[in-house]
Amino acid sequence: MPISQNGWAVQDSSKEMWKIDGVGPVLSGAVWVILNDFVRWFETNIEPLGKSCGSYNRRKISGSTKWSNHASGTAVDLNWNLHPAWTKNKYEGFTSGQVSKINKAIKKYGGTIRWGASYSDPMHFEIAPGMKSSNLESVATKL
């Protein structure tokens, strides 16, 4: 079975996934608990979700041979029309106050979430590479 960039199995369909309202399906279990909690926090504390959100998509990373984390159901894109990727400003569309809030909030998840802004993709949030199920279960239980 192919593996996504962050080390999770690429899914053949969304049957092993649970839906995050306003975003779409992500891998069930602890992945869903963590990403759903973060998305709800984002929607309440940063900005409402628009129609330009997404999640599971069985595809490779654009311009790469590696599988996208969206293909494993371990990534979400939030408001891509407001926060487009690959612009000169890696935090495109976010105020400095919002950036600070997001960075602080991500710490609550014990390193399980990586923000795509670290590589100029500010709409993108994913389960961090190398994260094991046991780490996720521990954080999900606390949530």
Side-chain angles (χ1 to χ4, degrees):
M1 177 171 277
I3 303 295
S4 66
Q5 182 270 335
N6 63 356
W8 290 76
V10 170
Q11 302 298 304
D12 289 327
S13 72
S14 63
K15 71 178 184 173
E16 297 296 323
M17 299 190 192
W18 295 340
K19 184 178 179 192
I20 295 176
D21 288 340
V23 178
V26 298
L27 198 60
S28 60
V31 169
W32 180 87
V33 170
I34 291 167
L35 290 177
N36 184 63
D37 189 80
F38 176 77
V39 168
R40 300 288 69 96
W41 174 88
F42 182 95
E43 187 175 37
T44 301
N45 296 283
I46 301 298
E47 62 195 19
L49 298 181
K51 293 183 180 185
S52 61
C53 296
S55 56
Y56 173 72
N57 185 351
R58 195 174 196 280
R59 65 172 178 81
K60 292 189 176 172
I61 297 169
S62 182
S64 171
T65 59
K66 292 183 180 183
W67 283 96
S68 166
N69 297 332
H70 290 284
S72 61
T74 59
V76 296
D77 288 340
L78 305 178
N79 295 335
W80 61 68
N81 62 331
L82 300 175
H83 312 292
W86 324 123
T87 63
K88 289 182 181 181
N89 178 1
K90 70 180 190 172
Y91 299 115
E92 185 69 38
F94 290 110
T95 66
S96 59
Q98 289 172 320
V99 169
S100 179
K101 279 182 176 181
I102 292 168
N103 282 324
K104 184 177 179 182
I106 286 174
K107 290 178 183 176
K108 164 185 164 183
Y109 299 94
T112 61
I113 296 177
R114 178 170 72 169
W115 185 13
S118 64
Y119 49 88
S120 299
D121 192 358
M123 72 178 98
H124 184 84
F125 299 88
E126 64 192 17
I127 298 300
M131 211 35 62
K132 295 180 181 174
S133 293
S134 58
N135 299 99
L136 296 176
E137 291 293 335
S138 176
V139 170
T141 299
K142 291 176 187 173
L143 295 173

